[in-house]
Amino acid sequence: QIEHHVWPDLSMLQYQRGAPRLKAICEKFSVPYIQENVFERLRKTVDIMVGRTTMRTFPTEYEPEKDKAGESGVTWKSTNGAIDD
């Protein structure tokens, strides 16, 4: 699921081996770790692509203060994939 973001150069077998370690790290820091099979993820992705549903809004409390957009910065105001100025 998220292993490819943490370790982008690993093989699928290595992702499977790393998953328990990453899950433990997520639990330690109270970060949700969601496992779904590839077909469920594909269905959800297609639903978003065709407009049947939208992505969940990212909770701003997880965003580091230094990364939050200021008055002159860019911020996400919608979940339709567009960046609003």
Side-chain angles (χ1 to χ4, degrees):
Q1 306 293 323
I2 64 168
E3 288 78 13
H4 68 277
H5 295 284
V6 178
W7 303 297
D9 297 329
L10 295 183
S11 70
M12 287 298 283
L13 179 58
Q14 290 170 318
Y15 287 148
Q16 292 173 350
R17 290 180 180 162
R21 186 174 181 186
L22 186 56
K23 185 175 182 179
I25 292 168
C26 289
E27 287 175 2
K28 179 179 178 179
F29 293 98
S30 300
V31 174
Y33 182 89
I34 300 168
Q35 284 182 290
E36 295 175 326
N37 73 46
V38 67
F39 298 109
E40 180 63 16
R41 291 300 318 143
L42 179 60
R43 184 191 64 76
K44 288 182 176 184
T45 301
V46 171
D47 285 349
I48 291 167
M49 291 170 58
V50 300
R52 197 173 297 137
T53 189
T54 59
M55 293 173 41
R56 289 185 289 170
T57 304
F58 183 78
T60 56
E61 60 266 17
Y62 291 134
E63 187 175 3
E65 195 62 40
K66 67 179 181 57
D67 293 338
K68 291 185 179 179
E71 289 182 28
S72 62
V74 175
T75 186
W76 292 95
K77 295 181 182 174
S78 60
T79 58
N80 64 1
I83 297 177
D84 302 314
D85 289 317

Coordinates of all heavy atoms in Angstrom, one line a residue:
Q1 N 0.8 -1.2 0.0 CA 0.0 0.0 0.0 C 0.9 1.3 0.0 O 0.9 1.9 -1.0 CB -0.9 0.0 1.2 CG -1.8 -1.2 1.4 CD -2.8 -1.4 0.3 OE1 -3.4 -0.4 -0.2 NE2 -3.0 -2.6 -0.2
I2 N 1.5 1.5 1.1 CA 2.3 2.8 1.2 C 3.8 2.4 1.1 O 4.6 3.4 1.0 CB 2.0 3.6 2.4 CG1 2.4 2.8 3.7 CG2 0.6 4.0 2.5 CD1 2.4 3.6 5.0
E3 N 4.2 1.2 1.1 CA 5.6 0.8 1.1 C 6.3 1.4 0.0 O 7.5 1.8 0.1 CB 5.7 -0.7 1.1 CG 5.3 -1.4 2.4 CD 3.8 -1.5 2.6 OE1 3.1 -1.3 1.7 OE2 3.4 -1.8 3.8
H4 N 5.7 1.5 -1.2 CA 6.4 2.0 -2.4 C 6.8 3.5 -2.2 O 7.7 4.0 -2.9 CB 5.7 1.7 -3.7 CG 4.4 2.5 -3.8 ND1 3.2 2.1 -3.2 CD2 4.1 3.6 -4.4 CE1 2.3 2.9 -3.5 NE2 2.8 3.9 -4.2
H5 N 6.1 4.2 -1.3 CA 6.4 5.6 -1.0 C 7.6 5.7 -0.1 O 8.4 6.6 -0.2 CB 5.2 6.3 -0.4 CG 4.1 6.5 -1.3 ND1 4.0 7.3 -2.4 CD2 2.9 5.8 -1.4 CE1 2.9 7.2 -3.0 NE2 2.2 6.3 -2.5
V6 N 7.7 4.7 0.8 CA 8.8 4.7 1.8 C 10.1 4.2 1.1 O 11.2 4.7 1.3 CB 8.4 3.9 3.0 CG1 9.6 3.9 4.0 CG2 7.2 4.5 3.7
W7 N 9.9 3.1 0.4 CA 11.1 2.4 -0.3 C 10.8 2.3 -1.8 O 10.4 1.2 -2.2 CB 11.3 1.1 0.4 CG 11.5 1.1 1.8 CD1 12.6 1.7 2.5 CD2 10.7 0.5 2.8 NE1 12.4 1.5 3.8 CE2 11.3 0.7 4.1 CE3 9.5 -0.3 2.8 CZ2 10.8 0.3 5.3 CZ3 9.0 -0.8 4.0 CH2 9.7 -0.5 5.2
P8 N 11.0 3.3 -2.6 CA 10.6 3.3 -4.0 C 11.3 2.3 -4.8 O 10.8 2.0 -5.9 CB 10.8 4.7 -4.4 CG 11.7 5.3 -3.5 CD 11.5 4.6 -2.2
D9 N 12.5 1.9 -4.4 CA 13.3 1.0 -5.3 C 13.3 -0.4 -5.0 O 14.0 -1.2 -5.5 CB 14.8 1.5 -5.3 CG 14.9 2.9 -5.8 OD1 14.2 3.3 -6.7 OD2 15.8 3.6 -5.3
L10 N 12.4 -0.8 -4.0 CA 12.3 -2.2 -3.7 C 11.4 -3.0 -4.6 O 10.6 -2.5 -5.3 CB 11.8 -2.4 -2.2 CG 12.6 -1.8 -1.1 CD1 11.9 -2.1 0.2 CD2 14.0 -2.3 -1.1
S11 N 11.7 -4.3 -4.6 CA 10.9 -5.2 -5.4 C 9.6 -5.6 -4.6 O 9.5 -5.3 -3.4 CB 11.6 -6.5 -5.7 OG 11.8 -7.3 -4.5
M12 N 8.6 -6.2 -5.3 CA 7.4 -6.6 -4.6 C 7.6 -7.5 -3.4 O 7.0 -7.4 -2.4 CB 6.4 -7.2 -5.6 CG 5.8 -6.3 -6.6 SD 4.8 -5.0 -5.8 CE 3.4 -5.9 -5.5
L13 N 8.6 -8.4 -3.6 CA 8.9 -9.4 -2.5 C 9.5 -8.6 -1.3 O 9.1 -8.8 -0.2 CB 9.9 -10.4 -3.0 CG 10.3 -11.4 -1.9 CD1 9.1 -12.2 -1.3 CD2 11.3 -12.4 -2.5
Q14 N 10.3 -7.6 -1.6 CA 10.9 -6.8 -0.5 C 9.8 -6.0 0.2 O 9.9 -5.7 1.4 CB 12.0 -6.0 -1.0 CG 13.2 -6.8 -1.4 CD 14.3 -6.0 -2.1 OE1 14.0 -5.2 -3.0 NE2 15.5 -6.2 -1.8
Y15 N 8.8 -5.5 -0.6 CA 7.7 -4.7 0.0 C 7.0 -5.6 1.0 O 6.6 -5.2 2.1 CB 6.7 -4.3 -1.1 CG 7.1 -3.1 -1.9 CD1 6.7 -3.1 -3.3 CD2 8.0 -2.1 -1.5 CE1 7.1 -2.0 -4.1 CE2 8.3 -1.1 -2.3 CZ 7.9 -1.0 -3.6 OH 8.3 0.0 -4.4
Q16 N 6.7 -6.9 0.6 CA 6.0 -7.8 1.5 C 6.8 -8.0 2.8 O 6.3 -8.1 3.8 CB 5.8 -9.1 0.8 CG 4.7 -9.0 -0.3 CD 4.6 -10.2 -1.2 OE1 5.4 -11.2 -1.0 NE2 3.6 -10.3 -2.0
R17 N 8.1 -8.1 2.6 CA 9.0 -8.3 3.8 C 9.0 -7.1 4.7 O 9.2 -7.2 5.9 CB 10.4 -8.7 3.4 CG 10.5 -10.1 2.8 CD 11.9 -10.4 2.4 NE 11.9 -11.7 1.8 CZ 12.9 -12.2 1.0 NH1 14.0 -11.4 0.8 NH2 12.9 -13.4 0.5
G18 N 9.0 -5.9 4.1 CA 9.0 -4.7 4.8 C 7.7 -4.2 5.5 O 7.7 -3.4 6.4
A19 N 6.6 -4.8 4.9 CA 5.3 -4.3 5.4 C 5.1 -4.5 6.9 O 4.6 -3.5 7.5 CB 4.2 -5.1 4.7
P20 N 5.5 -5.6 7.6 CA 5.3 -5.7 9.0 C 6.1 -4.6 9.8 O 5.6 -4.0 10.8 CB 5.8 -7.1 9.4 CG 5.7 -7.8 8.1 CD 5.9 -6.8 7.0
R21 N 7.3 -4.3 9.3 CA 8.1 -3.3 9.9 C 7.4 -1.9 9.8 O 7.4 -1.1 10.8 CB 9.5 -3.3 9.3 CG 10.4 -2.4 9.9 CD 11.8 -2.6 9.3 NE 12.8 -1.7 10.0 CZ 14.0 -1.6 9.6 NH1 14.5 -2.3 8.6 NH2 14.8 -0.7 10.2
L22 N 6.9 -1.6 8.6 CA 6.3 -0.3 8.4 C 5.0 -0.2 9.2 O 4.7 0.9 9.8 CB 6.0 -0.1 6.9 CG 5.5 1.3 6.5 CD1 6.3 2.4 7.0 CD2 5.3 1.4 5.0
K23 N 4.3 -1.3 9.3 CA 3.0 -1.3 10.1 C 3.3 -1.0 11.5 O 2.6 -0.3 12.2 CB 2.3 -2.7 9.9 CG 1.0 -2.7 10.6 CD 0.3 -4.1 10.3 CE -1.0 -4.1 10.9 NZ -1.8 -5.3 10.7
A24 N 4.4 -1.6 12.0 CA 4.8 -1.4 13.4 C 5.2 0.1 13.7 O 4.8 0.7 14.7 CB 6.0 -2.3 13.8
I25 N 5.9 0.7 12.7 CA 6.2 2.1 12.8 C 5.0 3.0 12.8 O 4.9 3.9 13.6 CB 7.2 2.5 11.6 CG1 8.5 1.8 11.8 CG2 7.3 4.0 11.6 CD1 9.4 1.9 10.6
C26 N 4.0 2.7 11.9 CA 2.8 3.4 11.9 C 2.0 3.3 13.2 O 1.5 4.3 13.8 CB 1.9 2.9 10.8 SG 2.5 3.4 9.1
E27 N 2.0 2.1 13.8 CA 1.3 1.9 15.1 C 2.0 2.7 16.2 O 1.3 3.3 17.0 CB 1.3 0.4 15.4 CG 0.3 -0.4 14.6 CD 0.3 -1.9 14.9 OE1 1.1 -2.3 15.8 OE2 -0.4 -2.6 14.2
K28 N 3.3 2.7 16.2 CA 4.1 3.4 17.2 C 3.7 4.9 17.2 O 3.7 5.5 18.3 CB 5.6 3.2 16.9 CG 6.5 4.0 17.9 CD 7.9 3.7 17.6 CE 8.8 4.5 18.5 NZ 10.3 4.2 18.3
F29 N 3.5 5.5 16.0 CA 3.3 6.9 15.9 C 1.8 7.2 15.7 O 1.4 8.3 15.3 CB 4.1 7.5 14.8 CG 5.6 7.5 15.2 CD1 6.4 6.5 14.7 CD2 6.1 8.4 16.0 CE1 7.8 6.5 15.0 CE2 7.5 8.4 16.4 CZ 8.3 7.4 15.9
S30 N 0.9 6.2 15.9 CA -0.6 6.4 15.7 C -1.0 6.9 14.3 O -1.9 7.7 14.2 CB -1.1 7.4 16.8 OG -0.8 6.9 18.1
V31 N -0.3 6.4 13.3 CA -0.6 6.7 11.9 C -1.4 5.5 11.4 O -1.0 4.4 11.5 CB 0.7 6.9 11.1 CG1 0.3 7.1 9.6 CG2 1.4 8.1 11.6
P32 N -2.6 5.8 10.8 CA -3.4 4.7 10.2 C -2.6 3.9 9.1 O -1.9 4.5 8.3 CB -4.6 5.3 9.6 CG -4.6 6.7 10.2 CD -3.2 7.1 10.5
Y33 N -2.6 2.6 9.2 CA -2.0 1.7 8.2 C -3.2 0.8 7.7 O -3.7 0.0 8.4 CB -0.9 0.9 8.8 CG -0.2 -0.1 7.8 CD1 0.9 0.4 7.1 CD2 -0.7 -1.4 7.6 CE1 1.5 -0.4 6.2 CE2 0.0 -2.2 6.7 CZ 1.1 -1.7 6.0 OH 1.7 -2.6 5.1
I34 N -3.5 1.0 6.4 CA -4.7 0.3 5.9 C -4.2 -0.6 4.8 O -3.5 -0.2 3.9 CB -5.7 1.3 5.2 CG1 -6.2 2.3 6.3 CG2 -6.8 0.6 4.6 CD1 -6.9 3.5 5.8
Q35 N -4.6 -1.9 4.9 CA -4.2 -2.9 3.9 C -5.5 -3.3 3.2 O -6.5 -3.7 3.8 CB -3.6 -4.1 4.6 CG -2.2 -4.0 5.1 CD -1.7 -5.2 5.7 OE1 -2.1 -5.6 6.7 NE2 -0.8 -5.9 5.0
E36 N -5.4 -3.2 1.9 CA -6.5 -3.7 1.0 C -5.9 -4.4 -0.2 O -4.8 -4.1 -0.6 CB -7.3 -2.5 0.5 CG -8.0 -1.7 1.6 CD -8.7 -0.5 1.0 OE1 -8.2 0.1 0.1 OE2 -9.8 -0.2 1.6
N37 N -6.6 -5.4 -0.7 CA -6.1 -6.1 -1.9 C -6.1 -5.2 -3.1 O -6.7 -4.1 -3.2 CB -6.8 -7.4 -2.1 CG -8.2 -7.2 -2.7 OD1 -8.4 -6.4 -3.6 ND2 -9.2 -7.9 -2.2
V38 N -5.3 -5.5 -4.1 CA -5.1 -4.7 -5.3 C -6.4 -4.4 -6.0 O -6.5 -3.3 -6.6 CB -4.0 -5.3 -6.2 CG1 -4.5 -6.6 -6.8 CG2 -3.5 -4.3 -7.2
F39 N -7.3 -5.4 -6.1 CA -8.5 -5.1 -6.8 C -9.4 -4.1 -6.1 O -10.1 -3.3 -6.8 CB -9.3 -6.5 -7.0 CG -8.5 -7.4 -7.8 CD1 -7.9 -8.6 -7.2 CD2 -8.2 -7.2 -9.2 CE1 -7.1 -9.4 -8.0 CE2 -7.5 -8.1 -9.9 CZ -6.9 -9.2 -9.3
E40 N -9.4 -4.1 -4.8 CA -10.2 -3.1 -4.0 C -9.6 -1.7 -4.3 O -10.3 -0.7 -4.5 CB -10.2 -3.4 -2.6 CG -11.0 -2.4 -1.7 CD -12.5 -2.4 -2.0 OE1 -13.0 -3.2 -2.7 OE2 -13.1 -1.4 -1.6
R41 N -8.3 -1.6 -4.2 CA -7.6 -0.3 -4.5 C -7.9 0.1 -5.9 O -8.1 1.3 -6.1 CB -6.1 -0.4 -4.3 CG -5.7 -0.7 -2.9 CD -6.1 0.5 -1.9 NE -5.9 1.8 -2.4 CZ -6.7 2.8 -2.1 NH1 -7.8 2.6 -1.4 NH2 -6.5 4.0 -2.6
L42 N -7.8 -0.8 -6.9 CA -8.1 -0.4 -8.3 C -9.5 0.1 -8.4 O -9.8 1.1 -9.1 CB -7.9 -1.6 -9.2 CG -8.2 -1.4 -10.7 CD1 -7.3 -0.2 -11.2 CD2 -8.0 -2.7 -11.4
R43 N -10.5 -0.6 -7.8 CA -11.9 -0.1 -7.8 C -12.0 1.3 -7.3 O -12.7 2.1 -7.9 CB -12.8 -1.1 -7.1 CG -14.3 -0.7 -7.2 CD -15.2 -1.5 -6.2 NE -14.9 -1.2 -4.8 CZ -15.2 -0.1 -4.1 NH1 -15.9 0.8 -4.7 NH2 -14.9 0.0 -2.9
K44 N -11.4 1.5 -6.1 CA -11.5 2.9 -5.5 C -10.8 3.9 -6.4 O -11.3 5.0 -6.5 CB -10.8 2.8 -4.1 CG -11.7 2.1 -3.1 CD -11.0 2.2 -1.7 CE -11.9 1.5 -0.7 NZ -11.3 1.6 0.7
T45 N -9.7 3.6 -7.0 CA -9.0 4.5 -7.9 C -9.9 4.9 -9.1 O -10.0 6.0 -9.5 CB -7.7 3.9 -8.4 OG1 -6.9 3.7 -7.2 CG2 -7.0 4.9 -9.3
V46 N -10.5 3.9 -9.7 CA -11.4 4.1 -10.9 C -12.6 4.9 -10.4 O -13.0 5.9 -11.1 CB -11.8 2.8 -11.5 CG1 -12.9 3.0 -12.5 CG2 -10.6 2.1 -12.1
D47 N -13.2 4.7 -9.3 CA -14.3 5.4 -8.8 C -13.9 6.9 -8.7 O -14.7 7.8 -9.0 CB -14.8 4.9 -7.4 CG -15.6 3.6 -7.5 OD1 -15.9 3.2 -8.7 OD2 -15.8 3.0 -6.5
I48 N -12.7 7.2 -8.2 CA -12.3 8.6 -8.1 C -12.1 9.2 -9.5 O -12.5 10.3 -9.8 CB -11.0 8.7 -7.3 CG1 -11.3 8.3 -5.8 CG2 -10.3 10.1 -7.4 CD1 -10.0 8.1 -5.0
M49 N -11.5 8.4 -10.4 CA -11.2 8.9 -11.7 C -12.4 9.2 -12.5 O -12.4 10.2 -13.3 CB -10.3 7.9 -12.5 CG -8.9 7.7 -12.0 SD -8.1 6.3 -12.7 CE -8.1 6.6 -14.4
V50 N -13.5 8.5 -12.4 CA -14.7 8.7 -13.1 C -15.7 9.6 -12.4 O -16.8 9.9 -12.9 CB -15.4 7.4 -13.5 CG1 -14.5 6.5 -14.4 CG2 -15.9 6.6 -12.3
G51 N -15.3 10.1 -11.2 CA -16.1 11.0 -10.5 C -17.2 10.4 -9.7 O -18.1 11.1 -9.2
R52 N -17.2 9.1 -9.5 CA -18.2 8.4 -8.7 C -18.0 8.7 -7.2 O -19.0 8.7 -6.4 CB -18.1 6.9 -8.9 CG -19.3 6.1 -8.5 CD -19.2 4.6 -8.9 NE -19.2 4.5 -10.3 CZ -18.4 3.7 -11.0 NH1 -17.5 2.9 -10.4 NH2 -18.4 3.7 -12.3
T53 N -16.8 9.1 -6.8 CA -16.5 9.4 -5.4 C -15.3 10.4 -5.4 O -14.8 10.6 -6.5 CB -16.2 8.2 -4.5 OG1 -16.2 8.6 -3.2 CG2 -14.9 7.5 -5.0
T54 N -15.0 10.9 -4.2 CA -13.8 11.8 -4.1 C -12.9 11.2 -3.1 O -13.3 10.3 -2.3 CB -14.2 13.2 -3.7 OG1 -14.9 13.1 -2.4 CG2 -15.1 13.9 -4.7
M55 N -11.7 11.7 -3.1 CA -10.7 11.3 -2.1 C -11.0 11.9 -0.8 O -11.7 13.0 -0.7 CB -9.3 11.7 -2.5 CG -8.8 10.9 -3.8 SD -7.3 11.5 -4.5 CE -6.2 11.8 -3.1
R56 N -10.6 11.3 0.3 CA -10.8 11.9 1.6 C -10.0 13.1 1.8 O -8.9 13.2 1.2 CB -10.4 10.9 2.7 CG -11.4 9.7 2.9 CD -11.0 8.9 4.0 NE -9.8 8.1 3.7 CZ -9.1 7.4 4.5 NH1 -9.4 7.3 5.8 NH2 -8.0 6.8 4.1
T57 N -10.5 14.1 2.5 CA -9.7 15.3 2.8 C -8.6 15.0 3.8 O -8.8 14.2 4.8 CB -10.7 16.3 3.4 OG1 -11.7 16.6 2.5 CG2 -9.9 17.6 3.6
F58 N -7.4 15.5 3.5 CA -6.3 15.3 4.4 C -6.4 16.1 5.6 O -6.6 17.3 5.6 CB -5.0 15.7 3.7 CG -3.7 15.4 4.5 CD1 -3.2 14.1 4.6 CD2 -3.1 16.4 5.1 CE1 -2.1 13.9 5.3 CE2 -1.9 16.2 5.8 CZ -1.4 14.9 5.9
P59 N -6.4 15.5 6.8 CA -6.6 16.3 8.1 C -5.4 17.2 8.3 O -4.2 16.8 8.3 CB -6.6 15.2 9.2 CG -6.7 13.9 8.5 CD -6.3 14.1 7.1
T60 N -5.7 18.5 8.4 CA -4.6 19.5 8.5 C -3.8 19.4 9.8 O -2.6 19.8 9.8 CB -5.1 20.9 8.4 OG1 -6.1 21.1 9.4 CG2 -5.8 21.2 7.0
E61 N -4.3 18.7 10.8 CA -3.5 18.5 12.0 C -2.3 17.6 11.8 O -1.3 17.6 12.6 CB -4.3 18.0 13.2 CG -5.0 16.7 13.0 CD -6.4 16.8 12.4 OE1 -6.8 17.8 11.9 OE2 -7.1 15.8 12.5
Y62 N -2.3 16.8 10.7 CA -1.1 16.0 10.4 C -0.1 16.7 9.6 O 1.0 16.2 9.4 CB -1.6 14.7 9.6 CG -2.4 13.7 10.3 CD1 -3.5 13.2 9.8 CD2 -2.0 13.3 11.6 CE1 -4.3 12.3 10.5 CE2 -2.8 12.4 12.3 CZ -3.9 11.9 11.7 OH -4.7 11.0 12.4
E63 N -0.4 17.9 9.1 CA 0.5 18.6 8.2 C 1.4 19.5 9.1 O 1.0 20.2 10.0 CB -0.3 19.5 7.3 CG 0.5 20.3 6.3 CD -0.3 21.1 5.3 OE1 -1.5 21.1 5.5 OE2 0.3 21.7 4.4
P64 N 2.8 19.3 9.0 CA 3.7 20.1 9.8 C 3.4 21.6 9.5 O 3.2 22.0 8.4 CB 5.1 19.7 9.2 CG 4.8 18.4 8.6 CD 3.4 18.4 8.0
E65 N 3.6 22.4 10.5 CA 3.3 23.8 10.5 C 4.2 24.5 9.4 O 3.7 25.4 8.6 CB 3.6 24.5 11.8 CG 3.0 25.9 11.9 CD 1.5 26.0 11.8 OE1 0.8 25.1 12.3 OE2 1.0 26.9 11.1
K66 N 5.4 24.1 9.3 CA 6.3 24.7 8.3 C 5.9 24.4 6.8 O 6.3 25.1 5.9 CB 7.8 24.2 8.5 CG 7.9 22.7 8.2 CD 9.4 22.3 8.4 CE 9.6 20.8 8.1 NZ 9.3 20.4 6.7
D67 N 5.1 23.3 6.6 CA 4.6 23.0 5.3 C 3.3 23.6 4.9 O 2.9 23.6 3.8 CB 4.5 21.5 5.1 CG 5.8 20.8 5.2 OD1 6.9 21.5 4.9 OD2 5.9 19.6 5.5
K68 N 2.6 24.2 5.9 CA 1.3 24.9 5.6 C 1.5 26.1 4.8 O 2.5 26.9 5.0 CB 0.6 25.2 6.9 CG 0.2 23.9 7.6 CD -0.7 24.2 8.8 CE -1.1 22.9 9.5 NZ -1.9 23.2 10.7
A69 N 0.6 26.3 3.8 CA 0.7 27.5 2.9 C 0.4 28.7 3.7 O -0.5 28.8 4.5 CB -0.2 27.3 1.8
G70 N 1.2 29.7 3.4 CA 1.0 31.1 4.0 C 0.1 31.9 3.0 O -0.5 31.4 2.1
E71 N 0.0 33.2 3.3 CA -0.8 34.0 2.4 C -0.4 34.0 1.0 O -1.3 34.1 0.1 CB -0.8 35.5 3.0 CG -1.5 35.6 4.3 CD -1.5 37.0 4.8 OE1 -1.5 38.0 4.0 OE2 -1.6 37.2 6.0
S72 N 0.9 33.9 0.7 CA 1.3 33.9 -0.7 C 1.5 32.5 -1.3 O 1.9 32.4 -2.4 CB 2.7 34.7 -0.8 OG 3.6 34.0 0.0
G73 N 1.3 31.5 -0.5 CA 1.5 30.1 -0.9 C 0.3 29.5 -1.6 O -0.8 30.1 -1.7
V74 N 0.5 28.3 -2.0 CA -0.6 27.5 -2.6 C -1.2 26.6 -1.6 O -0.5 26.0 -0.8 CB 0.0 26.7 -3.8 CG1 -1.1 25.7 -4.4 CG2 0.6 27.5 -4.9
T75 N -2.5 26.5 -1.6 CA -3.2 25.6 -0.7 C -4.3 24.8 -1.4 O -4.8 25.2 -2.5 CB -3.8 26.4 0.5 OG1 -4.4 25.5 1.4 CG2 -4.9 27.3 0.0
W76 N -4.6 23.6 -0.9 CA -5.6 22.8 -1.5 C -6.9 23.2 -0.9 O -7.1 23.2 0.3 CB -5.4 21.3 -1.2 CG -4.2 20.7 -1.8 CD1 -2.9 20.6 -1.3 CD2 -4.1 20.2 -3.1 NE1 -2.1 20.1 -2.2 CE2 -2.8 19.8 -3.3 CE3 -5.0 20.0 -4.2 CZ2 -2.3 19.2 -4.5 CZ3 -4.6 19.4 -5.3 CH2 -3.3 19.0 -5.5
K77 N -7.9 23.6 -1.7 CA -9.2 24.0 -1.3 C -10.3 23.0 -1.7 O -11.4 23.1 -1.3 CB -9.5 25.4 -1.8 CG -8.6 26.5 -1.2 CD -9.0 27.8 -1.7 CE -8.1 28.9 -1.1 NZ -8.3 30.2 -1.7
S78 N -9.9 22.1 -2.6 CA -10.9 21.2 -3.2 C -10.2 19.8 -3.3 O -9.0 19.7 -3.2 CB -11.4 21.6 -4.5 OG -10.3 21.8 -5.4
T79 N -11.0 18.8 -3.5 CA -10.5 17.4 -3.6 C -10.6 16.9 -5.1 O -10.5 15.7 -5.3 CB -11.2 16.5 -2.7 OG1 -12.6 16.5 -3.0 CG2 -11.0 16.8 -1.2
N80 N -10.8 17.8 -6.0 CA -10.9 17.4 -7.4 C -9.6 17.3 -8.1 O -9.6 17.2 -9.4 CB -12.0 18.2 -8.1 CG -11.6 19.6 -8.3 OD1 -10.5 20.0 -7.8 ND2 -12.4 20.4 -8.9
G81 N -8.5 17.5 -7.4 CA -7.2 17.4 -8.1 C -6.6 18.7 -8.5 O -5.5 18.7 -9.0
A82 N -7.4 19.8 -8.4 CA -6.9 21.1 -8.9 C -6.2 21.8 -7.7 O -6.6 21.7 -6.6 CB -8.0 21.9 -9.4
I83 N -5.2 22.5 -8.0 CA -4.5 23.4 -7.0 C -5.1 24.7 -7.1 O -5.2 25.3 -8.2 CB -3.0 23.4 -7.2 CG1 -2.4 22.1 -7.0 CG2 -2.4 24.4 -6.2 CD1 -0.9 22.0 -7.2
D84 N -5.7 25.2 -6.0 CA -6.3 26.6 -6.0 C -5.3 27.6 -5.4 O -4.6 27.3 -4.4 CB -7.5 26.6 -5.1 CG -8.5 25.5 -5.5 OD1 -8.8 25.5 -6.7 OD2 -9.0 24.8 -4.7
D85 N -5.1 28.7 -6.1 CA -4.2 29.8 -5.6 C -4.9 30.6 -4.6 O -6.1 30.8 -4.5 CB -3.8 30.7 -6.8 CG -2.9 29.9 -7.7 OD1 -2.0 29.2 -7.2 OD2 -3.0 30.1 -8.9

